[in-house]
Each structure stands twice: as C-alpha cells, then as structure tokens.
C-alpha cells in the first residue's frame, strides 16, 4: 500500500493514547533527506536554539499530539559502531525529543534473545500496526497495515522488550 505524508499525518492525529515506532535498520534511503544528509556530511548541524530550522511539519504534528496527552515513543535498534546514517540521525534526534517524543537506542548486540518482527513498524493505540517495508538498500517499498490482535500483541511485546533494554537518547552516544 502506498501512503502519503498527509494520510500518515491523519492517522497519527487520530491516535488517542499512544503511538510507538520501532526502527531496526542501519540505513534509510529517504529521498527527502538527501539534501540534509549531504549538508550533515559537510559539517552542518542543527542549532538547538533555532527551532524554525528543524524538520517541519513532522515536529509540529508531534507537538500537537503530545500536547493532547498522546504518548509517542520511538526505539531504534542500531549496530555498533553505528553507520554513517545512524550518526546523522542521532545528531538531530534532540529535535524530536524537544517536540515531545521519547526516544531510546538499543545496541543490536543487546537485542539477541528478543522476538522481533521482520519489519519496522508503528503501533497505534495498541491495536493498529503499520509495517514499513524497505528494500536491502533502505528504500521504502510499501506499507502494510493490520488490526489483527495477535500481530498487534506481538509488536507491542517486541517494542516493550526493546524499550526496557534501550538507552535513553540523552545517555546514548552514536
């Protein structure tokens, strides 16, 4: 299934209690990040005091939904030493935290023994799972959604197991 940013924004705005996101890849090839990634490679870093320069409109949506009481958590399973992309991602994650997301990092070596789904996912209100499927080079392929309760339970358990072991963003160094 193809999904537009506006469809996803509508979906996350419909959340009433919680949204969790598990990311398990070391590289994402997201076309709208190409310029920012290239600038980061050349030494550009986001200024913590210049909120207007941060990633919009996503951070506005994060602020909106967390202000209405939705708990938004993201966990990232990463190889160490981290890939260049993960170091880039880590460099601006403070903006997500400032907007209201809770973010933790789990070194991949600490994930052995955890039952994990095969794809990154979002879990909305513990009932709707959205899998984001990527190819081997990190390009988004498609999105699958299910409200199957067994699948939602598996994803919830996997996320909570990762969350319990993971390191809060302010304590993790990439």
């Amino acid at each position: 299934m193809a999904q537009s940013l506006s469809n996803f924004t509508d979906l996350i705005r419909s959340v009433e209690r919680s949204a969790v996101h598990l990311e398990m890849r070391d590289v994402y090839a997201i076309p709208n990040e190409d310029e920012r990634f290239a600038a980061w490679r050349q030494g550009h870093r986001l200024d913590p005091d210049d909120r207007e320069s941060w990633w919009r409109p996503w951070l506005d949506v994060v602020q909106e939904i967390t202000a209405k009481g939705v708990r938004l958590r993201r966990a990232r399973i990463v190889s160490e030493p981290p890939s260049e992309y993960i170091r880039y991602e880590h460099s601006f994650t403070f903006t997500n935290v400032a907007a209201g997301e809770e973010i933790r990092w789990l070194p991949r070596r600490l994930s052995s023994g955890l039952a994990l789904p095969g794809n990154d996912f979002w879990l909305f209100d513990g009932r709707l799972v959205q899998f984001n499927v990527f190819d081997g080079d990190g390009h988004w392929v498609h999105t699958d959604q299910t409200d199957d309760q067994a699948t939602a339970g598996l994803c919830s358990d996997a996320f909570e197991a990762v969350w319990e072991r993971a390191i809060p963003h302010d304590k993790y160094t990439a």
Side-chain angles (χ1 to χ4, degrees):
M1 170 172 87
Q3 183 177 48
S4 70
L5 180 58
S6 64
N7 288 347
F8 181 78
T9 300
D10 290 344
L11 177 60
I12 201 157
R13 281 184 170 134
S14 74
V15 171
E16 296 176 3
R17 296 177 317 281
S18 69
V20 300
H21 188 192
L22 182 61
E23 297 177 357
M24 300 181 283
R25 300 187 52 85
D26 287 320
V27 175
Y28 293 91
I30 311 297
N32 69 0
E33 289 185 344
D34 289 347
E35 284 183 38
R36 289 187 302 250
F37 192 28
W40 178 84
R41 283 178 161 159
Q42 294 179 1
H44 178 265
R45 299 298 182 266
L46 292 179
D47 180 351
D49 296 323
D50 183 10
R51 284 179 166 249
E52 293 306 311
S53 70
W54 299 355
W55 185 23
R56 303 285 185 219
W58 172 248
L59 297 176
D60 296 326
V61 172
V62 170
Q63 286 181 300
E64 175 188 326
I65 67 171
T66 57
K68 71 177 191 177
V70 172
R71 186 172 186 203
L72 180 56
R73 295 183 292 159
R74 181 187 309 249
R76 294 175 171 143
I77 299 174
V78 296
S79 298
E80 290 183 319
S83 68
E84 182 181 41
Y85 182 85
I86 293 299
R87 291 192 318 273
Y88 156 72
E89 195 172 52
H90 186 272
S91 77
F92 66 78
T93 295
F94 74 90
T95 66
N96 298 69
V97 172
E101 276 191 76
E102 299 172 57
I103 299 181
R104 293 186 182 180
W105 303 81
L106 181 65
R108 193 170 307 282
R109 64 184 160 71
L110 300 178
S111 69
S112 299
L114 297 180
L116 299 169
N119 293 294
D120 291 8
F121 67 85
W122 281 91
L123 176 61
F124 303 103
D125 285 330
R127 61 171 183 75
L128 177 67
V129 181
Q130 176 171 298
F131 291 105
N132 294 314
V133 180
F134 295 86
D135 69 15
D137 293 322
H139 297 98
W140 177 82
V141 176
H142 68 274
T143 296
D144 294 325
Q145 287 184 352
T146 182
D147 60 2
D148 175 74
Q149 286 309 291
T151 303
L154 169 81
C155 290
S156 178
D157 290 348
F159 183 86
E160 294 305 330
V162 168
W163 190 257
E164 183 178 304
R165 293 183 184 194
I167 302 163
H169 174 70
D170 64 345
K171 292 181 173 45
Y172 184 76
T173 305

